[in-house]
Amino acid sequence: MINRRSFLIHLACVLLVAGGGALLWLPFHTQAELDDWAVTLRERGTPARAVVVDQVTKSGGNRSSSSRTMYFSYELDGRTHAQEVACFEVCRAAGAEVPIWVNPADPGDFVTDFGQLSGHRGRVQGVLGVVGLAVLGVGVVLTLSRIRRRRANRPRRDRPRRVEPAADGRGYVGRGKRKRNVRP
């Protein structure tokens, strides 16, 4: 019979694995949705021209890498809008013109010609993905250690030994390097 404490520990290990897996899955799911949204904006969005007003690099200090951001200014329906775009793969210099497609329902939402969405999307999900990877790793290690410990603590059953007659009529048990199992 499994005692209650052992069951709760096993349940906690399984929940760590499940929770870590879910957190690790979140950034991949979010990125797929963002990619789909970028395609939708290109198909249904209002085309416009944005100008890179400024490019800012923030130092990450000792613990993280620096981040770069472009600031865009664009006109839509007679109104001027400003928005920022994180520089991941492409970072244009100040004064450069960039074709964009703007969401008509939300003028602050657009996609650039190089596929980058406005704002800093997915940053929180990325952090949660790293946390999920750590939690998943801890959960797997704890679960495997519980399984090993459980096998080590399991009582061993002795197998019945076969008794085979010897050539001289006496029985012996097993086959070892030395014949210590000889019965008189």
Side-chain angles (χ1 to χ4, degrees):
M1 183 173 167
I2 299 176
N3 65 16
R4 182 180 171 112
R5 181 172 181 232
S6 176
F7 173 75
L8 290 176
I9 291 172
H10 186 69
L11 180 64
C13 290
V14 170
L15 288 176
L16 276 175
V17 169
L23 286 175
L24 183 60
W25 170 78
L26 182 65
F28 295 106
H29 175 69
T30 301
Q31 187 59 46
E33 285 186 347
L34 290 176
D35 290 342
D36 291 344
W37 180 241
V39 170
T40 303
L41 274 178
R42 281 190 173 189
E43 292 172 353
R44 300 180 187 163
T46 306
R49 286 254 190 245
V51 176
V52 179
V53 177
D54 195 10
Q55 183 187 111
V56 176
T57 302
K58 293 182 182 175
S59 174
N62 295 354
R63 298 182 184 215
S64 64
S65 60
S66 60
S67 65
R68 297 188 323 179
T69 303
M70 294 180 287
Y71 291 91
F72 284 95
S73 175
Y74 55 97
E75 193 171 309
L76 185 69
D77 298 330
R79 293 186 64 197
T80 302
H81 300 278
Q83 190 61 260
E84 62 184 34
V85 174
C87 295
F88 290 118
E89 296 174 8
V90 177
C91 210
R92 302 277 170 90
E97 275 196 13
V98 177
I100 62 172
W101 291 267
V102 182
N103 181 359
D106 180 11
D109 186 20
F110 65 85
V111 65
T112 64
D113 67 335
F114 48 89
Q116 188 67 39
L117 291 166
S118 59
H120 293 277
R121 301 175 188 222
R123 183 179 286 175
V124 173
Q125 289 85 354
V127 171
L128 288 176
V130 171
V131 170
L133 180 63
V135 169
L136 179 66
V138 168
V140 166
V141 167
L142 289 176
T143 302
L144 292 176
S145 70
R146 297 279 308 156
I147 291 171
R148 277 198 192 130
R149 189 176 305 142
R150 197 195 243 154
R151 284 184 182 168
N153 292 340
R154 186 182 311 158
R156 297 184 70 178
R157 295 183 190 170
D158 289 335
R159 289 185 274 158
R161 298 181 180 180
R162 284 189 316 182
V163 177
E164 298 179 14
D168 61 358
R170 293 186 300 170
Y172 69 92
V173 178
R175 295 181 181 177
K177 290 183 179 180
R178 300 183 192 125
K179 294 201 175 196
R180 289 186 178 175
N181 298 332
V182 175
R183 294 186 182 175

